[in-house]
Amino acid sequence: MENNLVARTRKFAIDCMILCSKLPKTREYNAYVNQLIRCSASVGANYRASQRAKSTPDFINKLKIVEEEVDESNYFLDLLQEVSKIQNEDTTIFEPLLKESKELLAITIASIKTKKANS
């Protein structure tokens, strides 16, 4: 499961970057795009760090950071989708990443709960 999530979180960051490269290059979009690129990359970086945790509390703490970053990614994906609607842009390109962010969030929360229950 760990290797699968390492790959999924890495792909999520890359897919977010690819999506961002397709958005208009305006000051308004760029503010949100920069945030999405940062937090989506942080999801995978912090998940990888969790795999090298030194203790159960350290592991849980690192997963809580993953939870925050994936939730933030979801927020900026949703925000960009809404802005795109207002600008009459194609919003279907956001759907796969919104779905993946929600799945990653659910997996992360379940992992935290399981680890807490088993410690």
Side-chain angles (χ1 to χ4, degrees):
M1 174 92 162
E2 289 86 20
N3 287 338
N4 181 30
L5 282 175
V6 168
R8 277 181 77 172
T9 57
R10 183 175 184 271
K11 183 176 181 336
F12 178 69
I14 292 167
D15 289 347
C16 284
M17 186 276 305
I18 291 168
L19 174 127
C20 289
S21 72
K22 295 176 181 177
L23 296 174
K25 312 284 189 268
T26 66
R27 186 171 54 156
E28 296 78 17
Y29 271 97
N30 287 345
Y32 299 142
V33 162
N34 291 337
Q35 284 295 117
L36 177 58
I37 289 171
R38 278 198 245 351
C39 57
S40 66
S42 187
V43 171
N46 283 292
Y47 183 78
R48 279 181 58 161
S50 76
Q51 300 308 293
R52 294 182 304 285
K54 293 166 184 47
S55 64
T56 298
D58 187 34
F59 177 77
I60 291 169
N61 184 54
K62 288 179 185 336
L63 279 187
K64 292 296 284 177
I65 296 168
V66 172
E67 179 185 3
E68 290 173 12
E69 296 296 338
V70 76
D71 187 54
E72 187 175 333
S73 297
N74 185 274
Y75 173 77
F76 282 106
L77 284 164
D78 186 54
L79 194 60
L80 282 163
Q81 185 180 44
E82 286 301 312
V83 170
S84 293
K85 279 181 192 173
I86 293 166
Q87 300 295 323
N88 295 314
E89 303 282 338
D90 178 22
T91 59
T92 59
I93 62 174
F94 295 94
E95 294 305 322
L97 285 171
L98 282 164
K99 181 177 183 275
E100 180 67 355
S101 68
K102 289 173 186 170
E103 287 179 14
L104 290 172
L105 184 59
I107 291 166
T108 303
I109 291 169
S111 296
I112 292 167
K113 287 181 181 177
T114 299
K115 198 63 167 177
K116 282 182 177 179
N118 294 334
S119 55

